[in-house]
Structures are given as C-alpha cells and as structure tokens.
Amino acid sequence: MLIMISKRIGFMVLTMLVVSILLFLLLEYSPGNVAVKVLGPYSSEEARQLWLERHGYFEPLWWRYGSWLGNFINGEFGDSVRFRVPVSEVLWPRLWNTAILGFWTFAIMIPLSLILGVLAGMREGSRLDRIISVGSIITTSVPEFASTVLLSAIFVFGLKWLPGTSSMTSGFEVKQMILPVMVLIIYDFGYVARMTRASMAEVMTTHYIRTAILKGLPYRQVIMKHALRNALIAPFTVIMLQINWLLSGVIVVEFFFAYKGFGALLLEASLNQDIFVIEACAMVAVFVAVASQTIADIGYTYLNPRIRFT
Amino acid sequence: MPDSVTPYDGPVLEIEDLCLSYYTRAGEIPAVVDFSATLAPGESIGLVGESGCGKSTVAMAIMRYMGSNGDIVSGTVKFKGRDMATLSDEELRQIRGSEIAMIYQEPMAALNPSLTIGSQLIEVPMTHDGVSKEEASKRAIAMLADVHLPDPERLMEAYPHQISGGQQQRVVIAMALLSSPSLLLLDEPTTALDVTVEAGIVELIAELSRKYNSSLLYISHNLGLMLEVCDRICVMYSGEVVEEGHIDSIFSWPKHPYTHGLFGCIPLPHADKNARPLKAIRGQLPLPHERPQGCYFGPRCDFFKAGTCDQESVRMSEVNTDDDPAHRVRCKLWNSIDHDAAIPMGDAKPPAEIGETVLEIDGMQKYYEVRDTSFAAMISGKGVRQVKANEKITFRAGRGETVAIVGESGCGKSTFAKVLMGLEQATDGEVRMNGIDIGGMPVQSRSPKQLGSLQMVFQNPNDTLNPSLTIGAQIGRVIKKFGVETDPVKIQERVLHLLDVVKLPRDFAIRKPRQLSGGQKQRIGIARAFAGNPAMVIADEPISALDVSVAAAVTELLTDIQRENQTTLLFISHDLSAVRYLADRVVVMYLGMLVERGTTDEVFSPPYHPYTEALLSAVPIADPQVEKRRIVLEGNLPSALNPPKGCPFSTRCQRRIGEICDNEPPPVQFNADRHGIACHIPMEELRKVEPVIKVSDKKPDPAGATP
C-alpha cells in the first residue's frame, strides 16, 4: 500500500516535470518573444535587450529552465504584465474564489446525482428510472452558455430574484453565488448521475445482490450495504475528474457572471498575452489534474478490496 | 420467527401442478410445466436434467424470486402449509434466508466482493433473530468452524477473493445454515469446483443437513452426484418432469426413454470406447416455443409411435412397483418397452492401432518468474521467486493413441498445453514432435506445416469462435494459413468436407457462431483443429462446458475422427470418468509434477499413487452397482509459489508415511513397463491397496420391470 502510494506520487511529480518542460519550451524557448510580450510590441530593441539581460535570459537554456523551475517551486511566478503586481498576489485569491464556487457546486451536485443515479439504477426500466434518465440527458445536453442565458432571463430579468453579475464588489454575497452554481450543477449532474445509474443497474443484476435478497435482508439494507459500495467504484473516478473540469471548465460561467475566479483569470491572461500568469495558471491546472487523479487512484483501492489486497 | 406457535409436522414443501412462464417480446414462454413434488422434513430430493430444462426456475419459484418477467401461471407452492403466493413481501422476506436458504453454483459471484466475510455472515442472525452484533459474530465463528474452515476468527476479517473456491463455497454454506433453515435449495453447488473439493463439500452438506434436520432440494446435471446425495429424484426434460421416484429404482430400473438415453450418454465404468461406446441422444432439446405436440421427447425418442405419442400431452403414470410406490413416469408406452434392452449402446468399433512414437517428452520443465514488489520481499532479497508450473514431465505418445492428462485446477495441465502449442517456452528438457525439439520454439517461428500438424480444441466453444465471421470463413482461413490449399474453390470444398466430417449440415458454412448451439460450436472447434491434417490434437477439457447428451455426441465424434485419421490425441481433463472411457494411457499430475503414468487399466487399478486413489474416490459414479471407498482429502492445494519441499502431495496425503515425505522428493517406481508411480511407499505396500471402485456383478432383481 505504502509502495503504491509513493509510486503514484512519484508518477505525479514526473508528470508535472514533463509538463513544465513542455510549457517552458513552448513559451520561453526564444527570449525575444518573452521580451515582446512583457514590454509590449512597441518597445525599443534596446529596452528589450536590457530587460532580457537583467532577467538572465542570455544564460544557456537548461540553466534558465533550472532557475525558472526553482522559482516556481518557491511560488515566485514573476510579475503580471497586466496587473503590474507579482502573479501570486493575483493567482491565489482568484483560485480561492473558484474553489468556493467549486465547493458549492460539488456539495450540491454529488449527493444529488448519486441519489438520483442510485434511485434510477435500483429498478432499471421503472418509471422513475426513465424520468431521471431522460431528465439528465436533457440538462446535460444544454451547453453552459445556453443555460446561463436562459437562467438569467428567468431569474434576473423575468422574476428579478437574483443579481445578474457575481463580481462580489461589495464583499461575499450568497445571492450572487446561486446562479453560477446552478448553471454548473445543471450541466454536470446528469453526467455523474447517468454514470452512477449504469453502474448501479449493473450491480443490481449480480449474483451477490441476489444472495443478499434471498438472505432475507430488508431491501433498504440490500441497497445501502451491498449495492451502493460496489456501484460507487466506477463513478468515483468520474467524480474526481469533475474537479479537473471545474477548474478550467468554469471559464464560460465565470466570464458570463463576471465572477473573479481562476477561469476568468486564465481567459484575461490569454487575451492579454500575460505570459507569467499563463505559465502559473497552466501549472496550477496541471497540478490539480494530476493530484485529483492520484487521490482517485488511492481512493479507488480503498473502495475496491480486490485491488487493495493483492 | 414463524408466526404460528403450534409446531408444524406436515411436509416442508408441497408443490402442486406448478406452471411457470417467462414473458418476453416473443410472448409467453412456458419454462416449467405441471411440476409437482412433496418434500418431507429431513428428506432430500434431486432435480436432474440438462441446461434449459427448468431446474433452476423451480428453485427460484420456491423462493418466489422470478425476476420482473417471470411469473407463476398456475399451481401452488406451499411451504410448511402456507401458500407462498399469498405471502406479503415482508412475510416473504422473513422466510427467505431464515427458513428457506439457498446455496449457489458460483460461490465467488454469490459473495459480495467488497464486504468482509464476517459482515456478510453476521447480517443473517442480526436480521432474522434480532441478536446483537457480538452474539451474531459468535454464531458466525461457530458456524465457520462447523463447515470445517480453519482459523474462523481470521476468516471473518477476510474478503471473498482472498480464499479459494472451495472455501468460498463453505462460507456460502455457512451463511445458508446460520439460521438453521428447514429447507435448503442447492443449485449446482459443486459444479464450479474440483472433484476432490466437491467430495468434501458433498460430505459436508450431508453431515450438516443431518445435524440441522434440513430438507434438501438438490439441483444438478450430474447423475453420479445425485446418486450420492438424494433420496428421490425428478428427471426433467424441457420443462417437465419425465420420471420421478426413489433414487434406487430410477437408477436400477429407469422407465422413461430419456432417462435411458441419459444413462447411455455418461461414461460409466462398463463403457468402453471400442466395445461399448457411448450413444448420444439424437437431435436437440427443443426451444420452449418449438415444443412438439404430445410428448416433448417424441422427436428424439427411439420408441416413438406416431398416433400415440404426438397427440394430447402426456400425463404422469404410476409404475407401481413393490419397492417404490412413488415411481412415476411420463410416457404412454413405458409398459411396452423392453427396459433391459433399452439401455442405449453404440455399435462396437475396431480399436485403433497405436503406431510409432509421435510425441516424446523428456524431463520437460516450465518455471515462471514472479516478481514480488512488497517491502518484505525487497528487504529479504526474495524479489524474484519461481513458480514451478511443470517439473520433469516425461512421457510419450504414439500415433493414433489417446493420452489423457488428469489433475485438478492449478496442477499445470494448461501450462503444459501452452508449451506444446508454443505459446510458452519450456525452461528445460525436450519436447520432441516427430523427432524435432519444439519445446523452445515459439509459435511464431513454427512453419505452417508444423502449426497444422499440432492443433488444439479448446474448452469453451463460445469464446473460441470469432463472432463476426461466418463459420466457413473461419475454417477456410485456417486451411489457407496452414497451406493445405491455396485455391479458393478447393478451400471451399475442404470446408464443406470438414463440415461433413463433424456431421454438421453444409449450409452452416454461411452461418455466424451466434446461430449455433454450444455443441455445434464445439464441432466447429474440432473441424478447425483437424483442418490442417494434424498428427496430434490437444483437447483441453473439450466437453466440460457441454451438457451430458451433447458431450457424449462430441466425444464420439472426436474419437471417430481420431480413429479415421490415426491422430494422436492429448486429452486434458479433470473428469476421470471421461478419461477412463477415452484414454489409452493416463498421466496424473499434481502441482506441476507427474505423480503417476501408465495405461488406463494400470492407473485405474491398484497399485495407485495415493493421489490417484483419492481422485478416483472423489468422482461420483451414476451406477448403484458401483461400490466406492470414500477418501476425502483435507486441506487446500499448496501454493505453487511455495510448494512442499519433498513430495508435492505430502501435505494432503492420506497415506503419508513420515518425515521422508516432507523432505525428500519421491523416486519414480515402476510397477510394470511404463507404469510409473512417484511415491516413497514401497511398491509392495501399494500393491496391497484395495481397489477404490468395485463393480458388483449382481444386478438387483428387477421387480416391476415387467408388470
């Protein structure tokens, strides 16, 4: 078990190193481009050379990569071109905002989709199953940019219950969170629910569920104790993948509602060629992706004893 | 928790005129028709029949667990006098698992893989008797000890996949018995297990049902097993009981042509592939919606009389013998059939001549390296360990000869076949085929001729055919690959010829595998193996996945083709009855080692290797005239990673003589030329051993054979 965890973590570090090399080569291979991005297209050649020299860009490539990596590990990502402050000062608050958004989305979506998925899969082909299956397909197939417009039209312009923007200019406000969270849940829950449903339906046809029923256990216990745990093994991986999706997939929602989150930051940085912000965001995104999958792998072995003890 | 306080002393189970149907898109499919049975307390009754005859459906109907598309059409199932159909879901739940319990065919599938054995056991008393968790675990541990599982406390914490198949089945039995049920339903409880394990489980079930006074409903396709475990049996065919009665009277004086046919299909000790070959029942089991008018068995029956058998449906009639008043048969003509002559038997065939040596195996061994990546192994430096899958295998096979390799799962039979086929390479020794060493020659570097001359028939015909190609294309491809023919017209001719050889209609060439039955697919597997005119064919459990009557037909087909082509047949099997019937020579393997080899007669009579002796004793024989000595092996097969230092069998041997068995590998002693036994016990001692199987000559007096 210990070996397995350390192997996974080692693999995770390796993945991040490879990504960092690719990222570095892609964005910083030619120093001239960096200078143009930082100083702007109308800067003088002289100023660029001076900037490059001051920031050690005439050192050999591997040396530059080494110090770049060292800085990254220490959390020094350089200065944002657009905000004129160190990247970390912009990045962490934005990441935190997205984390809040993601947390609420998850906290509501996961129980909802698991419950609906289990209810549907429990009696495959029943009326409840068909309602849930069709419902989840419909909500999932409506893209976020469509549902944002639709929900805004209803709740902001029609009923006037909720604010149309979520920029939190006057401090955190729960009301402003509702629409973004709602859009994300509506889009994603069907995916997880359908996955859970399929897994649950499969488990319900297994022989050990028959054994449990013919043992005379109450139906509730058959579901809760015997079916659920086995049915959750497959969706668990999918759920962990949603973390990943939330981080970069929220761009549309954050932009639409002017929510100051990670996705919006990434979009702004790309539009403004804010090179160091892009680098930092990319590395954070990769880290979250790899870390969540590592946790998923470890959690998977916990759920599935056949993998745990071999 | 039966709500009636007065003790119930009538029959445990009464089934009357039960008709069960499944409702599908194709309409109503009657699965079981007109089934009646009564089961007294402590009695055991068997349901026997081939797959699709409705045995399991009956068991599920007793539990009232038919799925969403199955239902009781008419008739009643009464459990202790209460009609199961009138019970509410809650009453039903209270009966399930407490008064009626079930033991299933595949123990691994029947246990929840992600819960510990303990937690799966304790919920039975907790649910039905409302006891505390501590009390429930106490009972579970006691029950695990009752089913003879070692170290019950530790086992409670284990997961199902951590124990062997035999142990899993014991856990399932323990689970069923925890609430001392009055009725135990056993659905092929030993079919997935090895013969020696089966013998242990059968004994255990008999012992425990006596102890808890449970009635048993035993479902199996294995007639031999039925004879050992049941008081009465019902023979089922296509959803109907065709014959029922006391076990002795059914086995000694069967009255229904189908029952006769079944006995003709199983290789009993007196069957012989040359003098008294098996006789398969012709035709196929009709699909439920294609059942004929009148007697369902009519089209396959040798005694069929038009005008009598194909009119209205046949009722059960009493046979009325003095010994067994309950013997009933569903046949209109049973009175006019000469039952002594009715035991079907094929025509005698000339024995095959055994020619020059084709295959010679000399000290072949196959070791696998297993890398252990655990911490402990890394520290102790035992990172790489060896699995001795085959150790010093030596024997030879002649042209036209049938050599059987016998042993339980994990004994290295399949590894041996893989080495021969070139899927694995031998680590030492020689495997000479027609004088050329092929032991180290991978399949890729063999010439088409070599490939064609050594082919294989696989165990499961359903998995070995490509589902998306037609039969003709699959056989044709093999013919082309082996370089037998290149011209498409000639290939097509040969495909049709091969279909003739395996006795299938020629238009099967354009069919897809899914349109074929299991037996037909296995015939295609045989046609494929014989496509390249092989000198030798390896048949790896070719009939173990097939039904009794289908297996007989495939066995006969295989021997006929072999006899005609003078092919050497290497028959890999765990079924000793089939081996005795089919083989000229037998090689017995245990844990990768060859423990005994010789001609079939030599191996099946003393002197035996103690393992051969135990194997012989474990095989159920469907003949009441056969007397067997019971030897039940204790313990499990040792791990191949850590085999015993001396004799591999020493840990379970019933004739272990002492330290020498544990510490020194046994020498091979020769009783006769080419009859070798690897054992420490002196040959004189082994010669004194009584035969395991005795066939008494006297046939019981056929009272009631003629009215």
Side-chain angles (χ1 to χ4, degrees):
Chain A
M1 191 66 189
L2 218 71
I3 294 204
M4 187 243 150
I5 291 176
S6 44
K7 257 188 192 164
R8 300 300 324 174
I9 290 174
F11 190 70
M12 173 179 147
V13 172
L14 190 76
T15 314
M16 296 212 40
L17 273 178
V18 170
V19 173
S20 73
I21 291 172
L22 285 176
L23 191 70
F24 180 79
L25 290 180
L26 208 66
L27 291 174
E28 301 213 8
Y29 181 71
S30 84
N33 281 344
V34 183
V36 172
K37 280 174 188 153
V38 173
L39 300 175
Y42 305 112
S43 53
S44 68
E45 186 59 32
E46 211 176 330
R48 289 178 194 168
Q49 291 300 327
L50 264 174
W51 187 87
L52 285 175
E53 191 164 351
R54 188 147 44 96
H55 290 86
Y57 273 88
F58 294 120
E59 304 287 344
L61 193 65
W62 60 269
W63 178 263
R64 270 168 51 209
Y65 172 71
S67 55
W68 178 83
L69 190 67
N71 287 339
F72 250 78
I73 291 168
N74 289 326
E76 292 163 22
F77 307 116
D79 285 358
S80 162
V81 180
R82 189 170 137 83
F83 299 103
R84 301 282 164 204
V85 287
V87 172
S88 49
E89 272 180 37
V90 196
L91 184 67
W92 298 127
R94 292 296 194 102
L95 201 58
W96 176 244
N97 283 345
T98 293
I100 294 172
L101 182 64
F103 172 80
W104 285 111
T105 308
F106 253 59
I108 300 168
M109 180 190 81
I110 297 301
L112 181 77
S113 51
L114 287 184
I115 289 170
L116 290 181
V118 166
L119 283 178
M122 212 163 79
R123 295 189 199 272
E124 201 181 358
S126 64
R127 179 175 297 197
L128 188 66
D129 174 28
R130 272 176 292 181
I131 292 171
I132 293 172
S133 297
V134 172
S136 55
I137 262 203
I138 291 173
T139 56
T140 303
S141 49
V142 177
E144 297 142 290
F145 53 80
S147 54
T148 44
V149 176
L150 194 71
L151 289 176
S152 297
I154 298 171
F155 292 105
V156 182
F157 304 108
L159 299 168
K160 297 199 189 325
W161 283 355
L162 298 167
T165 55
S166 313
S167 52
M168 311 273 173
T169 33
S170 49
F172 183 79
E173 206 183 325
V174 178
K175 232 178 170 183
Q176 296 187 10
M177 289 296 289
I178 294 175
L179 270 181
V181 168
M182 196 145 78
V183 170
L184 289 173
I185 290 172
I186 284 176
Y187 180 65
D188 205 29
F189 103 92
Y191 189 55
V192 180
R194 285 184 66 80
M195 193 75 196
T196 314
R197 179 200 166 272
S199 175
M200 185 71 185
E202 195 191 315
V203 167
M204 288 309 286
T205 63
T206 58
H207 286 255
Y208 55 82
I209 294 300
R210 184 182 71 183
T211 310
I213 293 174
L214 295 186
K215 250 189 218 178
L217 299 182
Y219 196 66
R220 201 187 145 77
Q221 196 177 340
V222 173
I223 298 296
M224 300 301 282
K225 191 173 169 189
H226 287 266
L228 212 53
R229 183 166 172 167
N230 289 294
L232 287 186
I233 293 175
F236 180 70
T237 323
V238 174
I239 290 171
M240 292 308 282
L241 276 172
Q242 302 314 305
I243 296 182
N244 215 351
W245 166 78
L246 268 181
L247 195 67
S248 42
V250 292
I251 293 179
V252 175
V253 174
E254 288 186 357
F255 190 74
F256 188 91
F257 293 106
Y259 185 77
K260 289 199 161 42
F262 182 79
L265 178 68
L266 192 58
L267 185 67
E268 284 169 52
S270 314
L271 290 175
N272 294 303
Q273 302 229 333
D274 199 343
I275 179 165
F276 300 118
V277 177
I278 295 177
E279 284 176 2
C281 287
M283 283 316 285
V284 167
V286 170
F287 173 78
V288 171
V290 182
S292 62
Q293 278 311 293
T294 306
I295 294 168
D297 281 351
I298 294 167
Y300 188 76
T301 56
Y302 172 74
L303 278 173
N304 193 346
R306 273 169 297 183
I307 291 186
R308 205 184 329 158
F309 302 98
T310 33
Chain B
M1 301 164 291
D3 23 36
S4 58
V5 187
T6 45
Y8 177 83
D9 57 356
V12 173
L13 184 72
E14 294 161 277
I15 304 177
E16 239 173 90
D17 303 326
L18 185 67
C19 292
L20 305 167
S21 284
Y22 286 108
Y23 297 91
T24 66
R25 274 185 214 145
E28 181 185 341
I29 293 177
V32 173
V33 188
D34 193 15
F35 181 93
S36 300
T38 308
L39 194 54
E43 195 183 22
S44 67
I45 187 168
L47 294 187
V48 68
E50 298 179 273
S51 51
C53 72
K55 311 181 291 271
S56 300
T57 311
V58 171
M60 289 304 171
I62 293 171
M63 285 280 217
R64 233 182 82 195
Y65 183 78
M66 301 266 299
S68 53
N69 62 344
D71 203 7
I72 297 176
V73 180
S74 62
T76 51
V77 178
K78 277 188 188 163
F79 174 72
K80 291 190 172 175
R82 298 163 80 191
D83 187 348
M84 292 291 276
T86 62
L87 297 184
S88 71
D89 285 351
E90 180 57 23
E91 286 170 316
L92 192 64
R93 186 187 68 69
Q94 284 173 5
I95 286 183
R96 284 174 176 172
S98 93
E99 297 202 54
I100 309 179
M102 189 151 180
I103 294 168
Y104 311 88
Q105 176 165 5
E106 286 168 52
M108 181 66 192
L111 294 170
N112 192 328
S114 57
L115 293 176
T116 59
I117 287 166
S119 71
Q120 296 187 55
L121 285 173
I122 60 171
E123 55 189 16
V124 176
M126 282 169 72
T127 309
H128 290 298
D129 302 338
V131 298
S132 69
K133 204 171 175 178
E134 289 69 36
E135 172 62 21
S137 340
K138 220 183 278 168
R139 289 193 197 177
I141 290 170
M143 186 52 78
L144 285 176
D146 257 8
V147 295
H148 308 301
L149 280 166
D151 207 356
E153 281 89 0
R154 195 187 53 79
L155 205 62
M156 293 283 282
E157 301 302 316
Y159 286 92
H161 70 275
Q162 293 173 310
I163 58 177
S164 72
Q167 289 175 327
Q168 285 167 358
Q169 193 59 296
R170 281 169 195 264
V171 169
V172 174
I173 293 172
M175 198 189 286
L177 290 173
L178 261 172
S179 52
S180 5
S182 333
L183 174 61
L184 203 53
L185 309 175
L186 304 104
D187 189 359
E188 305 262 8
T190 56
T191 305
L193 305 173
D194 266 322
V195 270
T196 57
V197 180
E198 174 180 83
I201 297 280
V202 165
E203 189 158 275
L204 176 75
I205 292 170
E207 174 197 327
L208 293 176
S209 66
R210 267 196 307 277
K211 186 169 168 185
Y212 296 98
N213 196 31
S214 304
S215 307
L216 304 181
L217 182 78
Y218 221 115
I219 294 170
S220 180
H221 68 281
N222 187 335
L223 281 165
L225 189 65
M226 287 287 158
L227 182 61
E228 291 187 4
V229 297
C230 295
D231 302 325
R232 286 190 294 134
I233 64 167
C234 301
V235 181
M236 292 188 74
Y237 179 80
S238 193
E240 294 184 322
V241 174
V242 293
E243 186 164 10
E244 62 176 358
H246 193 269
I247 190 97
D248 287 335
S249 77
I250 299 262
F251 275 71
S252 307
W253 315 292
K255 293 286 183 267
H256 197 280
Y258 176 65
T259 320
H260 282 300
L262 276 184
F263 283 114
C265 288
I266 44 180
L268 293 169
H270 58 71
D272 179 288
K273 71 171 163 175
N274 299 317
R276 301 187 64 166
L278 300 180
K279 176 103 189 308
I281 304 172
R282 64 195 157 83
Q284 281 180 48
L285 188 75
L287 293 171
H289 52 274
E290 289 170 356
R291 285 177 187 145
Q293 182 86 26
C295 175
Y296 293 165
F297 189 61
R300 303 175 72 187
C301 183
D302 290 335
F303 305 96
F304 180 78
K305 244 189 215 161
T308 309
C309 299
D310 53 2
Q311 301 300 309
E312 75 282 346
S313 58
V314 187
R315 306 293 305 173
M316 292 292 258
S317 37
E318 311 279 334
V319 173
N320 280 330
T321 62
D322 300 335
D323 297 356
D324 179 18
H327 193 152
R328 303 200 302 160
V329 62
R330 196 184 290 274
C331 179
K332 285 184 169 170
L333 300 171
W334 72 270
N335 258 330
S336 55
I337 296 171
D338 178 3
H339 292 284
D340 281 332
I343 300 164
M345 200 174 72
D347 301 327
K349 298 164 187 174
E353 271 175 46
I354 292 164
E356 75 283 359
T357 302
V358 175
L359 178 78
E360 203 174 357
I361 292 157
D362 191 3
M364 196 282 272
Q365 65 180 34
K366 172 69 192 169
Y367 290 178
Y368 288 103
E369 280 186 356
V370 174
R371 274 167 218 285
D372 191 342
T373 50
S374 73
F375 256 144
M378 273 192 216
I379 292 164
S380 62
K382 285 183 192 156
V384 179
R385 291 201 285 175
Q386 278 181 328
V387 177
K388 297 175 180 177
N390 285 158
E391 178 92 283
K392 294 199 193 86
I393 307 288
T394 302
F395 70 91
R396 58 181 196 266
R399 187 174 165 77
E401 193 172 33
T402 304
V403 179
I405 300 180
V406 187
E408 295 171 276
S409 47
C411 76
K413 307 184 296 261
S414 297
T415 306
F416 177 73
K418 280 184 189 165
V419 172
L420 283 188
M421 294 302 296
L423 297 172
E424 300 277 356
Q425 277 71 58
T427 36
D428 198 13
E430 283 190 12
V431 178
R432 280 188 295 275
M433 169 102 183
N434 289 325
I436 304 164
D437 183 12
I438 55 168
M441 197 187 280
V443 68
Q444 294 87 350
S445 60
R446 295 187 184 182
S447 70
K449 200 166 163 12
Q450 274 175 322
L451 288 175
S453 73
L454 176 59
Q455 272 305 305
M456 191 152 174
V457 179
F458 299 93
Q459 176 170 12
N460 194 336
N462 300 315
D463 300 342
T464 40
L465 297 176
N466 186 333
S468 54
L469 286 180
T470 62
I471 300 301
Q474 300 195 44
I475 301 177
R477 191 179 149 79
V478 177
I479 295 170
K480 203 166 149 191
K481 279 271 169 194
F482 291 162
V484 183
E485 300 286 355
T486 45
D487 180 30
V489 179
K490 285 198 172 153
I491 289 178
Q492 186 59 21
E493 267 172 29
R494 177 130 179 96
V495 168
L496 296 179
H497 170 71
L498 282 166
L499 284 175
D500 292 344
V501 169
V502 294
K503 300 192 176 100
L504 287 176
R506 286 188 160 200
D507 67 320
F508 271 40
I510 51 166
R511 293 209 193 172
K512 294 273 176 69
R514 67 183 138 77
Q515 295 165 290
L516 271 56
S517 71
Q520 289 168 340
K521 282 184 209 167
Q522 193 60 299
R523 283 164 192 259
I524 300 297
I526 292 171
R528 198 201 55 80
F530 280 89
N533 296 318
M536 188 165 103
V537 167
I538 303 169
D540 187 359
E541 307 263 14
I543 53 169
S544 65
L546 305 176
D547 262 320
V548 185
S549 68
V550 181
V554 171
T555 309
E556 284 316 300
L557 177 74
L558 198 58
T559 47
D560 285 348
I561 301 176
Q562 181 207 9
R563 190 176 283 124
E564 249 163 61
N565 299 342
Q566 282 280 298
T567 317
T568 306
L569 182 67
L570 205 61
F571 181 69
I572 297 177
S573 181
H574 70 279
D575 179 357
L576 281 164
S577 306
V579 165
R580 172 181 22 225
Y581 173 74
L582 209 56
D584 301 312
R585 297 184 63 78
V586 179
V587 171
V588 184
M589 285 179 74
Y590 185 80
L591 214 62
M593 292 269 280
L594 197 157
V595 295
E596 181 168 359
R597 67 191 157 101
T599 65
T600 307
D601 288 341
E602 285 167 349
V603 172
F604 279 75
S605 53
Y608 307 113
H609 186 280
Y611 177 61
T612 316
E613 191 185 353
L615 265 186
L616 281 173
S617 160
V619 183
I621 296 169
D623 188 344
Q625 293 168 56
V626 170
E627 280 174 40
K628 269 195 326 187
R629 224 162 11 98
R630 289 201 72 84
I631 302 160
V632 173
L633 291 183
E634 299 291 327
N636 282 308
L637 196 72
S639 158
L641 265 174
N642 192 14
K645 212 169 93 198
C647 173
F649 189 54
S650 63
T651 53
R652 298 167 78 192
C653 185
Q654 73 279 15
R655 296 189 184 277
R656 188 175 161 277
I657 49 175
E659 297 267 304
I660 186 169
C661 293
D662 301 333
N663 297 324
E664 280 176 45
V668 179
Q669 310 179 60
F670 283 90
N671 172 50
D673 182 39
R674 296 177 68 196
H675 178 207
I677 298 174
C679 189
H680 287 293
I681 304 171
M683 192 52 88
E684 296 78 59
E685 295 281 319
L686 287 174
R687 285 201 185 100
K688 283 182 207 151
V689 171
E690 290 264 302
V692 176
I693 295 167
K694 275 189 207 152
V695 184
S696 65
D697 295 328
K698 63 165 174 59
K699 169 131 182 155
D701 181 33
T706 42

